[in-house]
Amino acid sequence: MDSALVDQKASAVSPPKDLESGPNISSFRLDNGLEVVVIPDHRAPVVTHMVWYRNGSADDPPGKSGIAHFLEHLMFKGTAAHPQGEFSKVIAELGGQENAFTGNDYTAYFQRVAKQHLPVMMAFEADRMTGLQLTDEVVAPERDVVLEERRMHCDADPGAQLGEAMQAALFTHHPYGTPIIGWAHEIEGLSRADALAYYQRFYTPQNAVLIVAGDVEPEEVRRLAEETYGKIKPLGETPQRRRPKEPPQLARRTVTVNDEKVEQPVWQRCYLTPSYRTAAPGEAEALEVLAHILGGGQTSLLYRILAVEERIAAAAGAQYMGTTLDDTRFFLYALPAPGVTLEQLEQAVDRVLAQFLVDGIDEATLERAKTRLIADAVYAQDSQAMLARWYGASLSTGLTIDDVKQWPARIDAVGAAAVLDAAKKHLDRRKAVSGFLLPEEKAAA
């Protein structure tokens, strides 16, 4: 679901430094604990309706990896009031769209329909918040579907194999090291009882966030939410997320995957860094700017030096995954040009990083990076679905509405010294895993 940001030349007109000029976002909480966020957008008579649960793959019980994702599948299997397939059939007949997704820290369900159908979406979604019915006849075939999904998208994909191996090596103790879809041998053992136990623990209104974006008014949403979700009684206390903390890391690691299907070798590196929730004030924003300066498109430092000037890379980039509940990941990647080994490419990346720490950041580069990031945030307001995802993911990982609104201003406040300090502190090989994706090794003659 993640979209890549394409670096473009910064506009001569600076974008606004906050999102206050955007939608007049409001929020409230129902008596049963359900948090509701309303994002008005009156340009078209359409609404995006999303329910986010504050649980994801990192909340899977030990030995039950993949249960959050598996339950996401099972949530489409019907309730006593609405048998399997009815919800999806109604959405299709109304000309709407629906889907769901599971992350490390959340599970979300959404529909996009004409505004007059919002009450129907709320009624259906509220019903399956606590009314899910499962039988072994339904659970067993769906488990096979998930296993096939894993075989197709993970086991048969060398790039996915490398990603899983790198995450497992980076997070030696924290559950982020386990794939969202789960390990195959543990998926095979997931049962109806496992699914219902997980459902009854996390699928309760005080653990959920309802996001409604589109042609609506807050009072209208409040009335509809109270008529549907408001009737649901909480299931006990609010679930607590108790996750083990990753210990200090002192050893650089390298993971290699060789596979006959690999045509283009790839080099990657993943550093363990704080997220927006766990970082010191200003630190996550500095890492965001750092990622853009190093690898945010074709004007970035790594691309310009390795791909344009030295021509030893076909591509290079960076990404900071800041929206997580716990400590997170900072990625670097590069594709070698013909005749260049991954070892040579890695040495070149480290050389560029070392020189970057010596040379520092000129003011024009810093301002260009910040302007681009702020512009992307402003342009995101053009999509009600993107705004719904942005706020849902943030609220599900311990952030607030104000955190999202003030993000551009905090990015604008980042100075060159803060970016360099973040690089020196966090781009430490002892806190990183390097990954090599290579063709199958040829047997010795």
Side-chain angles (χ1 to χ4, degrees), residues 19 37 46 74 119 183-184 204 237 301 310 375 403 405-406:
L19 299 183
V37 177
V46 175
L74 295 174
W183 300 115
T204 181
E237 298 295 323
L301 184 67
E310 300 182 3
D403 287 331
K405 285 186 174 182
Q406 295 166 9

Side-chain angles (χ1 to χ4, degrees), residues 324-347:
T324 62
L325 187 69
D326 300 314
D327 285 351
T328 188
R329 294 138 284 192
F330 187 106
F331 281 102
L332 300 177
Y333 72 89
L335 279 61
V340 178
T341 68
L342 293 187
E343 288 81 4
Q344 292 170 329
L345 188 59
E346 182 174 54
Q347 292 171 5

Side-chain angles (χ1 to χ4, degrees), residues 162 166 253-256 267-270 346 429 432-436:
L162 180 65
M166 290 181 67
R253 289 140 287 171
T254 299
V255 173
T256 302
W267 173 86
Q268 299 179 19
R269 184 178 294 158
C270 188
E346 182 174 54
R429 289 289 303 277
V433 175
S434 295
F436 288 18

